[in-house]
Amino acid sequence: MSVAGFKKQFHKATQKVSEKVGGAEGTKLDDDFTEMEKRVDITARAVLDIMTKTTEYLQPNPGTAPPSASAQPPALMIADEEGG
């Protein structure tokens, strides 16, 4: 960790201790900020869901694919055509 990163972490820890021990009031978040944070979380979950479904669509699992007519061995396809 760099010196600047260490200083930042030390400051955060000092602030947290002073809030807990000294009764200092923590930073209050604006209601608009809280609402926007909820919207961003919902959007992030939706994007992740879309990305997952897109990956499944583009790279389907062959074990879950429905059987197709071309999946039959050639001998059975010829027998089906002759018999029916």
Side-chain angles (χ1 to χ4, degrees):
M1 181 183 303
S2 67
V3 174
F6 181 73
K7 284 183 180 179
K8 186 175 182 180
Q9 291 299 323
F10 181 75
H11 177 67
K12 283 182 177 182
T14 306
Q15 183 179 4
K16 188 75 165 178
V17 168
S18 68
E19 287 175 6
K20 294 291 183 183
V21 175
E25 189 173 326
T27 306
K28 296 289 182 186
L29 299 178
D30 190 18
D31 290 337
D32 291 336
F33 178 80
T34 307
E35 182 64 31
M36 176 123 5
E37 186 180 30
K38 289 178 186 176
R39 288 182 182 181
V40 168
D41 288 342
I42 290 170
T43 304
R45 276 187 251 129
V47 168
L48 183 62
D49 186 46
I50 289 171
M51 287 173 49
T52 302
K53 289 182 180 183
T54 302
T55 302
E56 289 173 3
Y57 179 75
L58 295 175
Q59 299 175 352
N61 183 354
T64 61
S68 63
S70 63
Q72 291 181 349
L76 293 176
M77 289 174 56
I78 294 171
D80 286 344
E81 290 174 7
E82 291 174 354

